[in-house]
Amino acid sequence: MMGMAREKPDLKNAPLAGQVRSIRYCRDTYTVETADGKAEKIWEFNLRFKSDSSKLGPAPGKPVVVGAGMQGDRASVVFASPKEISQFVTSSCP
C-alpha cells in the first residue's frame, strides 16, 4: 500500500528465535522449529512462504520466520530463493 513502506529487516542477522531449523506439515498444520529449540504450530492458512534474494534476505539454506498479522496469529517464512521452499518443508504426521 502506498505510504506505508517500512524499512526491511536484515534477515541475515535474525535472532535464534527467528532462524528456522525445520518445517513439518501434517494435515492442516505446519510446525515451525527454530534454532532456539522452540516449535510453533501454525494453521496452514496463516503461514506464508516468501523469498528475498536481496542483500538483506536470509542466507541460502537459512530461512527466517517473521511475525505477521495484527493479532499475532500469522507468520511468514522467508527463503533466499523459491527453489528452497519445497526442499525445506517435509510432510510428517505422528
Side-chain angles (χ1 to χ4, degrees):
M1 292 173 22
M2 299 298 287
M4 295 188 70
R6 288 190 275 163
E7 191 173 313
K8 282 177 55 174
D10 182 355
L11 300 179
K12 282 189 176 41
N13 295 308
L16 291 177
Q19 297 173 24
V20 177
R21 186 180 295 164
S22 68
I23 302 172
R24 293 181 313 278
Y25 177 75
C26 181
R27 295 179 190 80
D28 66 351
T29 304
Y30 287 97
T31 302
V32 179
E33 183 182 348
T34 51
D36 62 355
K38 295 182 181 171
E40 183 173 352
K41 293 185 182 298
I42 305 171
W43 179 45
E44 65 186 343
F45 206 73
N46 286 347
L47 185 64
R48 305 290 184 264
F49 296 108
K50 301 179 178 188
S51 62
D52 183 353
S53 61
S54 76
K55 65 180 181 177
L56 294 176
K62 305 279 186 180
V64 173
V65 64
V66 292
M70 296 178 74
Q71 297 178 6
D73 61 341
R74 297 183 181 161
S76 296
V77 177
V78 185
F79 295 84
S81 72
K83 70 178 182 177
E84 292 183 2
I85 297 170
S86 62
Q87 296 169 348
F88 209 86
V89 179
T90 60
S91 187
S92 173
C93 290

